Amino acid sequence: RRLVGRDTEVVDARGDTLMSGIHDGHVHPLGAGDRSLRPSLEGAETTVAELTELLTGFLADTGGAGAEPDGWLVVEDWNPVGLLPAGTAAHHALLDALPTRRPIALVGGDGHNLWANQRALDIAGITAATPDPVGGKVVKGPDGQPTGVLKDDAQDLVKRHIPAPTRAELVAACAAVLEQAAACGVTTMMDALVGRHELELYQALSAAGRLPQRIVPAVRLDAVQATDPEAAVAYARGLEREFGGVAGLRFGTVKVFLDGVIEYPAQTAALLEPYLDGEGRPTANRGELYVPAAAYGALTAAFNRIGWQMHAHGLGDRAVRTALDGYAYAQRVTGRRDLRNTVAHLQLVDPADLRRFAQLGVAACLQLQWAAQDTWTMEALLPYIGPERHRWMYPARSLERAGARLSGGSDWPVDALQVWNQLRTAIDRQGAHGTGPLHVEQEGLGRTSALRMHTLGTAWQLRQDERTGTVERGKAADLVLLDRDVTRCPVADISATRVRLTLVGGRVVHDADSTAGRAAEGRTARAVAGPRPASYAAVHGGRHRACGCGG
């Protein structure tokens, strides 16, 4: 009160909680905006008949007869393991039976799978003779013909033919989802998949005054770029020179996919020991490592030498070890420390590697909203890795005990933005949607640890902990005002936390009582209240509720 002057705006917190804003250490916000422009299956599990009915409706809603025969139908948030009965395989013939000649592409909510009809395959020129691109796979049947399913970088064979929305449409959609993120209390994001297209969008958003968060863009390097460190550095530095002056952006991070996803039937995550066949017998499949260990080490050394940090998609235990080996090599040859190289996802970590995170100063970026019992962690995974490895799923507490610095991320829109349910699930390993707790006795975090990893922990990962992440003198006023005390309320109640006010650098970017704030909360409420799959899938492909941040 002694500091209040004539021009001071005073907010009565009414006894509620003021804390650091949420820092999201692995997210794709512009992807959320892009997806919002197209119809969504929302990760639902469906029979073929149910899927046919939904897609027939989407055909009508996106132009009907007027869109024949060349208007693309692109549908987001397809669940790659969601066809019922379980084990039903996606094949272009199922889509070819729809009453249309239009090209169709169902984009997996996981970001790793795409399902196309024959017309789309023909437009893309995909045949039995099409080779797998580096970092991707054209799935083929026993007859050698494409099934219509494309994995990882093979998706681009079809995606490059899909007409893009206009820049104005994209900017408006992205601005709307960034407002929703602010309504969820997010004040900093690391965009984990950035190229020229995304940077041009951020430039337009910033120029229009519609970029409410601090953004750390992670420049994405593909598998080919990752094998040429000199060219990769030149590429990243070139983007920094061109876009480094955009207000709200801070460069210094690159992103590399080391592997894919672990759940059946994809099984492209790189494992130290082979996947099982579902009956306990080892197969010959250990997943796919997209960048060899030696190449990743050389790439890391090149970027660490110029002060940039690495951010690796490492989901399987072999990919995690590859990342750590690369970081260890870079430390030896460069002598650089405290660069806070990162491994994201960490769905499966070998216990022998836990202590290496602290030893190497590596950030462990976890998406703990997935750490619950559900279809993806149980039916689609347990029989294929066995109970001994399954126990090490998302080993948050084990990493913490080994001295690792934990950070948090949503991976939105691979998963819905449910910030406060994300924090709750880190604690009880079940959250609002799980069918039971996932190894909570071994890996559940304490409440303070869960809050810290999503604030100061992620600020540390992003190398801005001297500026944000805590409420203390000298730091930027990146703050959120909540409607409850998340340090004391029942853990289950954390999911429903409402953000009354969000500030970035002392500037109000969300006010729940304003017209814009009510609109953002309304979009969130509609997303949360929407229909959910019968078995609510988590992890890379199922939990896609538009952009809801509630429980």
Side-chain angles (χ1 to χ4, degrees):
R1 289 193 180 95
R2 291 194 304 273
L3 299 175
V4 172
R6 180 177 300 175
D7 298 324
T8 304
E9 180 181 353
V10 178
V11 177
D12 183 358
R14 302 195 298 267
D16 291 341
T17 300
L18 185 75
M19 61 174 277
S20 163
I22 297 296
H23 294 52
D24 195 321
H26 186 104
V27 62
H28 313 281
L30 303 187
D34 184 48
R35 287 190 188 191
S36 72
L37 294 170
R38 290 177 288 277
S40 171
L41 287 168
E42 304 198 23
E45 296 178 335
T46 65
T47 64
V48 171
E50 290 168 339
L51 179 63
T52 298
E53 182 180 358
L54 286 168
L55 295 179
T56 301
F58 290 156
L59 286 166
D61 293 342
T62 57
E68 296 286 348
D70 299 321
W72 280 79
L73 173 65
V74 181
V75 180
E76 298 290 345
D77 301 324
W78 162 55
N79 185 341
V81 298
L83 280 178
L84 302 175
T88 303
H91 193 279
H92 66 76
L94 302 178
L95 303 179
D96 298 340
L98 289 164
T100 184
R101 293 174 292 162
R102 295 166 61 181
I104 298 174
L106 273 55
V107 182
D110 56 2
H112 294 265
N113 290 274
L114 181 145
W115 180 14
N117 69 350
Q118 186 62 55
R119 178 78 195 287
L121 294 175
D122 291 343
I123 290 172
I126 297 173
T127 68
T130 301
D132 292 336
V134 175
K137 184 176 184 62
V138 177
V139 178
K140 296 173 182 176
D143 59 358
Q145 297 296 319
T147 66
V149 176
L150 306 173
K151 295 182 179 295
D152 291 310
D153 286 353
Q155 297 174 84
D156 290 338
L157 299 176
V158 164
K159 284 185 173 181
R160 65 173 63 125
H161 297 279
I162 297 173
T166 67
R167 173 62 54 83
E169 289 172 332
L170 271 176
V171 169
C174 291
V177 299
L178 291 174
E179 288 175 0
Q180 285 185 250
C184 293
V186 179
T187 56
T188 291
M189 299 185 190
M190 194 210 76
D191 189 324
L193 201 69
V194 169
R196 173 174 297 279
H197 170 69
E198 289 78 14
L199 291 170
E200 289 174 346
L201 279 176
Y202 279 125
Q203 186 176 50
L205 287 161
S206 181
R210 304 195 71 181
L211 187 57
Q213 288 87 10
R214 303 180 194 275
I215 303 293
V216 177
V219 176
R220 192 261 168 113
L221 303 177
D222 63 28
V224 174
Q225 290 173 304
T227 61
D228 188 342
E230 185 177 351
V233 167
Y235 168 70
R237 275 281 176 85
L239 291 176
E240 181 187 25
R241 283 193 298 272
E242 186 172 353
F243 297 98
V246 175
L249 301 188
R250 183 177 59 75
F251 283 80
T253 304
V254 291
K255 159 74 177 296
V256 176
F257 283 94
L258 291 183
D259 66 348
V261 293
I262 195 169
E263 293 81 21
Y264 178 87
Q267 297 183 332
T268 51
L271 301 187
L272 293 169
E273 299 297 330
Y275 288 91
L276 307 180
D277 63 2
E279 301 295 333
R281 296 181 293 268
T283 68
N285 179 27
R286 291 202 302 146
E288 300 182 33
L289 192 65
Y290 297 141
V291 180
Y296 192 66
L299 184 71
T300 299
F303 276 99
N304 285 179
R305 194 171 279 117
I306 63 169
W308 281 46
Q309 65 180 162
M310 302 296 294
H311 189 94
H313 168 114
L315 204 146
D317 51 10
R318 183 159 60 108
V320 174
R321 181 167 294 177
T322 296
L324 295 171
D325 287 348
Y327 299 154
Y329 170 81
Q331 271 198 9
R332 289 196 302 273
V333 299
T334 68
R336 298 293 300 268
R337 307 184 72 87
D338 197 34
L339 288 168
R340 306 177 195 184
N341 297 313
T342 303
V343 188
H345 306 318
L346 301 165
Q347 188 166 356
L348 196 62
V349 180
D350 189 276
D353 289 322
L354 295 172
R355 293 192 177 278
R356 300 183 69 196
F357 283 82
Q359 292 166 355
L360 296 168
V362 173
C365 183
L366 293 144
Q367 289 63 54
L368 292 180
Q369 72 274 18
W370 299 334
Q373 287 189 24
D374 52 36
T375 300
W376 287 72
T377 57
M378 304 307 291
E379 291 92 333
L381 187 54
L382 178 57
Y384 303 100
I385 63 172
E388 184 176 346
R389 283 185 289 185
H390 193 268
R391 173 261 171 273
W392 292 101
M393 290 269 290
Y394 306 113
R397 189 192 296 178
S398 293
L399 282 162
E400 184 181 47
R401 286 176 171 171
R405 299 290 290 261
L406 303 185
S407 64
S410 65
D411 213 2
W412 178 44
V414 171
D415 191 31
L417 187 62
Q418 300 183 87
V419 168
W420 302 98
N421 186 59
Q422 185 176 319
L423 269 79
R424 170 204 168 167
T425 311
I427 301 165
D428 69 8
R429 306 278 291 197
Q430 179 170 342
H433 311 298
T435 59
L438 184 72
H439 309 307
V440 65
E441 295 85 1
Q442 296 92 347
E443 301 301 346
L445 291 175
R447 195 184 308 229
T448 299
S449 295
L451 287 164
R452 182 187 298 117
M453 72 179 285
H454 290 91
T455 52
L456 182 60
T458 306
W460 183 86
Q461 172 203 316
L462 301 180
R463 301 190 290 185
Q464 64 180 54
D465 51 308
E466 292 186 359
R467 187 180 189 189
T468 67
T470 55
V471 183
E472 57 184 306
R473 183 185 298 273
K475 287 197 173 183
D478 289 16
L479 307 171
V480 292
L481 178 61
L482 310 179
D483 70 345
R484 68 198 65 199
D485 185 350
V486 293
T487 69
R488 295 185 179 182
C489 70
V491 170
D493 289 353
I494 296 174
S495 293
T497 298
R498 179 172 175 259
V499 178
R500 290 179 49 198
L501 197 67
T502 305
L503 298 93
V504 175
R507 178 171 60 95
V508 175
V509 296
H510 168 71
D511 182 349
D513 295 328
S514 70
T515 300
R518 286 192 294 270
E521 285 197 333
R523 288 192 295 270
T524 292
R526 287 191 295 274
V528 172
R532 297 183 183 276
S535 180
Y536 202 74
V539 191
H540 281 88
R543 190 174 284 165
H544 304 293
R545 300 282 317 112
C547 304
C549 68

